[in-house]
Amino acid sequence: MLVNCYMRSSGIPLLRPELIARLKGIDFKARLVVEGFLSGLHRSPYKGFSVEFAEYRQYMPGDELKRIDWRVYGRTGRFFVREYEEETNLRAYLVLDASASMDYPAAGYTKLDYGRWLAASLALLLNRQKDSTGLVTFSAKIDRYIPPRATGAHLRVLFRELENLKPGGETDISTTLHELAERIRRRGLVILISDLWDDATAVVAALRHFRARKHELLVFHLFHPDEATLGFTNPVLLRDLETGQEITVDPRQIQYQYQNRFNRRCEYFRRACAEARVDYQSLSTATPFEEALFTYLERRRRLH
Amino acid sequence: MQFLYPSFLLLLPLGLIPVLIHIFTRLRLQRRGFPSLVLLESVRRERWSWVRLREILLLVLRTLFLLLIPLALSRPRLESRLPFRLGSDRMLLILDHSYSMAYGSRWQLALEAARRIIHSSSRPMLILSSHPDTVFSGRHTLLTLLDTLSASTISPTLQPALTRAAELYRQTPMPVIIITDLQARAVPENIPVPGGQLQIINLGSNRFDNAGITGITYDRRRLRVRIFNYGGTPVIRTVRLKLEGYQEEKVVNISARSAVFAEFSLPPDLRHHYSGIVELSSDSLLVDDRRFFTLETPSRVSVPIFVSSENQGKYLRLALVTDTLQFLPLLLNISELRRTDLTRYQAIIIADASALRPADWERLDFYLNSGGSALLCAPSLTNGNIPLPIRYEGPVSHLGFITPAEVDTTHPVLSGLRTVDLNAVRVYYHSRITGGRTLIRLANQDPLVIELPGKNLIIWTFTPVPEASDLVYRAAFVPLLYQTLKYLTGINRRNEWQTGDTVVLTVDTAEPFRLLMPAGEKTVFSEAGGIKPVVKITDTRLPGIYRLENGQHYEFAVNPLPEEGDLTPAPLEPLIRNRIKIYPPRLYAASELTGPLLYFAGLLLALELLLLGLESYRKTPVRR
């Protein structure tokens, strides 16, 4: 299975062997309650017989006698039944923005490459945990929807899809996410990897839609340093990668205001996500991917 | 505009650098894709006006700065329209140094103009109108001279300086420039134009206001001050008499271009000697607003009247005794002439010259040569015996009478007398005498009153008796006699001079004298001057009271020429017709622009730094 992880995209390995090795033994747990078919690492809303104790409940006629805790009866003289929290496998959806804006910069690896690596890494991690992993790519609409599965063959399908992914088209994140929220019925983990270049309010509304459907939501906000700093030194003619619109700017004259506005935008996403209990992570593509990934995973592990 | 270092102008295209950079940047714009222009659009929309304004401002500032630097280095000058070029070789400058140039700000303007002309020439020369014989040269010398020079109190005309300029021009042709107020009295009628290259920087104007004291006369303890308003509007002035321990003021109202008299009664205790100042409330020209005077009024002057009959001296004596304060008439027979020491008297009257013997003429001549003076009444004379430069042509009788036709009222003897008073005088007989200066001439052209200036002698060609003329009954008789005697007694004691004059004083002893004058004190020496020694004083450039002391006491006043106060300018048309170029001083008020240009460049730089600094300040995050 791992052999297929070496598939290359744009001349850059999708997953390096070192990364694969480092991902061994790392758990990726859902923070919230998710639904699954198999027993796994994640908490299930359905309580049953499992290893994780949940609570005591007074004995009711019809309960199996073997579930009565006799030690409690010995101390209290009353019948209590033990209840266990059922652990389940996770249904994770990797939602990757493949709009033209992700095809930046022209030289080196793009935001889409970065997102691709991230998606591949998370897919591998989840698959190892026997979690079902699906893939959704979108631009103005959902381009590709691969339902979640937990098999090794499915992982190869995902990798192939990721490798063959071509950027293009305008972004309509909010519409796409609304549509996706309606499509995913069972609550699970939705991992959105995007540069979020859309109307910020609409994007946040779409994220809330997911939360309303009881999904755990994880947002990776990717940006290139140029987007954050407008770090050009000379006047430049900029062309919108999605719309083709062109404007001439002297970055030195508006850099400060642009940076302020970009930071405010990020801050807005951060706050809105925090309010909606959405895990928001902004990632600069200047940060080495592995460093960014493991830093995030470590942070997440601590949260549990 | 002229440039001292025009080669720096070649650097002017440097000013195009910012524009070229701007254009080049626009042409070579880097084209690149960007994920989203949403934020950029909003920022640009918000900052567009300021960014564009700042961009244009910076472009303009930088362009101007780079243009100004080479412009400043080329030392530009806003030069006058004088025909000579900047840095021209020789140039002759004539500076009008008369006191009318002190009016208002004329002198400062003149100095500024002179400095600029001197700066613009490599070999400038300067002539002052007051000292045309001295030619100053050398830029440094001239500038130093101008620093110390002030408007004088003298009144030279431009003619001597122009004559001198013409001489210099003949030696070396060069532009000649006059800085003057073109006062009518100072400009010669046919102004010489050296080489046809005469330029005048005209400081004069038709619009001026100036009144000045033009004269002081004394008569019977009354001081009459004449004030003339040269301006075109009536003025009110305060006239102040200042004597030692005494001061008096009067306010006079003077019409435009007319004169008034202010009269002051002198205090009795000072009646014999008066020395003081009359001042006018100040106006724009101060020099003519005060006038010094010194008066000697001896208590009584004994005047012997030599007569051949008592009737001849009757009217003379009666006239003189009317004012006992001044003259004491002594009636003597003409035969007493030979026994009288005439040198004891300042003046004598000979009522009938026809009675003089040859020896008497000799005595009279000796007396006159010794500094004495005489009034000679000569109804007839005998030719051949008279040692005087006159010619007797015989007696003239009339069937009726004859009256005077011409009266020289400019002469002190006749000043204050009206021509009509004398024109009515009837003369029945007189003698015909020629020679000397005629003061009153009869209708038949015969002189009635003659002056022999070299001899201190006044001759009446008639005898003051009713049979010869009815003058003795006329009101003009007494004033005529008084003024004649006052003139004769004071004729050697001229007590008023003009600034710049060489004062010649007859003194009694040939000894050194201490001269006290406004400029200081110094010792002067007398020199031989005929019968009596004389003292010559040349340093009379400052108005004031001059006093010569050495046991004896001589005092005189020095005043500027009153006419210089008339600031009426000469008509310009004849000058322009004479191809003389005339420039107003304000047009000449130009200067080197290097300083202002550098200042402006610095200002631009500061403005640019301010713009950039403002931007940095806006970018600096506020620390909370």
Side-chain angles (χ1 to χ4, degrees), chain B residues 5-163:
Chain B
Y5 304 113
S7 52
F8 278 104
L9 292 177
L10 295 173
L11 299 176
L12 271 182
L14 284 177
L16 291 174
I17 287 176
V19 182
L20 289 177
I21 288 175
H22 185 77
I23 294 170
F24 186 71
T25 311
R26 294 277 161 181
L27 290 176
R28 293 283 305 270
L29 268 183
Q30 197 182 359
R31 198 188 193 90
R32 58 190 305 168
F34 200 70
S36 175
L37 302 182
V38 176
L39 281 186
L40 271 177
E41 268 293 343
S42 65
V43 171
R44 209 172 72 124
R45 228 181 356 258
E46 185 185 284
R47 300 256 305 157
W48 181 246
S49 323
W50 165 245
V51 166
R52 289 297 295 168
L53 178 67
R54 181 177 172 276
E55 193 174 281
I56 292 167
L57 269 177
L58 283 176
L59 184 65
V60 170
L61 288 175
R62 286 165 183 167
T63 306
L64 278 178
F65 181 78
L66 286 176
L67 284 174
L68 284 177
I69 294 300
L71 202 62
L73 289 175
S74 65
R75 305 272 304 273
R77 285 183 171 193
L78 273 180
E79 200 49 50
S80 71
R81 285 180 289 172
L82 290 175
F84 58 82
R85 279 180 53 76
L86 192 71
S88 62
D89 191 20
R90 286 172 184 273
M91 183 183 306
L92 179 61
L93 182 64
I94 299 172
L95 183 57
D96 186 349
H97 196 218
S98 62
Y99 80 74
S100 63
M101 290 285 283
Y103 178 77
S105 59
R106 284 181 187 180
W107 186 245
Q108 288 308 316
L109 288 172
L111 289 181
E112 282 172 24
R115 284 193 187 99
R116 288 202 181 93
I117 292 169
I118 289 165
H119 274 299
S120 68
S121 168
S122 59
R123 297 172 72 182
M125 291 192 283
L126 173 71
I127 293 177
L128 296 175
S129 62
S130 55
H131 300 87
D133 294 334
T134 310
V135 180
F136 301 94
S137 62
R139 188 185 289 173
H140 180 71
T141 309
L142 297 191
L143 291 174
T144 310
L145 176 69
L146 290 183
D147 287 341
T148 57
L149 205 61
S150 58
S152 70
T153 54
I154 53 179
S155 315
T157 64
L158 291 174
Q159 179 69 55
L162 283 167
T163 307

Side-chain angles (χ1 to χ4, degrees), chain A residues 233-286:
Chain A
T233 48
N234 294 318
V236 63
L237 178 68
L238 295 178
R239 181 177 49 80
D240 193 310
L241 289 174
E242 292 183 2
T243 61
Q245 181 196 355
E246 289 183 339
I247 59 169
T248 305
V249 290
D250 185 349
R252 290 165 299 184
Q253 294 178 355
I254 58 171
Q255 230 162 22
Y256 174 70
Q257 287 73 20
Y258 179 83
Q259 287 169 10
N260 268 350
R261 197 153 295 197
F262 184 84
N263 291 338
R264 282 212 303 272
R265 182 180 165 85
C266 290
E267 188 57 31
Y268 172 74
F269 280 128
R270 193 185 318 282
R271 284 191 182 174
C273 288
E275 283 170 10
R277 300 194 65 200
V278 173
D279 194 0
Y280 171 85
Q281 181 64 42
S282 59
L283 283 178
S284 165
T285 55

Side-chain angles (χ1 to χ4, degrees), chain B residues 134-361:
Chain B
T134 310
V135 180
F136 301 94
S137 62
R139 188 185 289 173
H140 180 71
T141 309
L142 297 191
L143 291 174
T144 310
L145 176 69
L146 290 183
D147 287 341
T148 57
L149 205 61
S150 58
S152 70
T153 54
I154 53 179
S155 315
T157 64
L158 291 174
Q159 179 69 55
L162 283 167
T163 307
R164 180 74 174 128
E167 288 172 18
L168 291 169
Y169 185 86
R170 274 195 294 277
Q171 293 166 14
T172 312
M174 63 192 131
V176 179
I177 303 158
I178 311 177
I179 301 176
T180 177
D181 57 359
L182 275 180
Q183 203 181 6
R185 64 163 292 278
V187 179
E189 278 187 17
N190 295 313
I191 190 165
V193 183
Q197 286 196 44
L198 185 63
Q199 295 94 45
I200 293 177
I201 295 171
N202 180 17
L203 299 161
S205 167
N206 278 314
R207 299 172 66 182
F208 62 89
D209 61 326
N210 183 43
I213 300 171
T214 57
I216 297 173
T217 53
Y218 171 80
D219 184 32
R220 300 184 190 186
R221 292 218 320 269
R222 293 189 71 79
L223 206 64
R224 293 187 86 213
V225 181
R226 184 176 184 266
I227 304 135
F228 199 92
N229 175 20
Y230 301 104
T233 52
V235 292
I236 297 173
R237 291 282 187 270
T238 304
V239 193
R240 187 178 296 112
L241 168 70
K242 283 182 176 178
L243 297 169
E244 191 178 346
Y246 182 79
Q247 190 164 316
E248 189 179 347
E249 277 186 4
K250 284 187 188 300
V251 175
V252 290
N253 196 341
I254 323 169
S255 305
R257 297 210 60 83
S258 59
V260 294
F261 289 89
E263 285 197 356
F264 295 94
S265 296
L266 295 175
D269 55 337
L270 295 170
R271 63 186 183 277
H272 302 306
H273 174 76
Y274 301 99
S275 175
I277 316 171
V278 177
E279 286 180 342
L280 204 60
S281 47
S282 301
D283 54 23
S284 300
L285 185 60
L286 303 177
V287 181
D288 63 350
D289 288 341
R290 63 181 189 169
R291 199 158 181 87
F292 298 89
F293 66 91
T294 175
L295 300 168
E296 292 288 346
T297 56
S299 55
R300 294 188 83 174
V301 177
S302 296
V303 180
I305 304 170
F306 293 98
V307 296
S308 53
S309 66
E310 195 172 333
N311 187 44
Q312 285 173 340
K314 175 184 172 185
Y315 295 96
L316 290 170
R317 190 179 63 81
L318 286 174
L320 291 179
V321 296
T322 53
D323 188 348
T324 54
L325 285 176
Q326 289 207 15
F327 298 107
L328 177 63
L330 302 170
L331 212 58
L332 298 173
N333 192 287
I334 203 153
S335 60
E336 296 292 324
L337 190 66
R338 69 195 69 162
R339 289 189 292 273
T340 306
D341 179 9
L342 295 178
T343 58
R344 288 168 48 206
Y345 303 103
Q346 290 181 41
I348 61 171
I349 299 173
I350 297 174
D352 184 8
S354 60
L356 289 175
R357 297 175 183 177
D360 295 333
W361 279 110

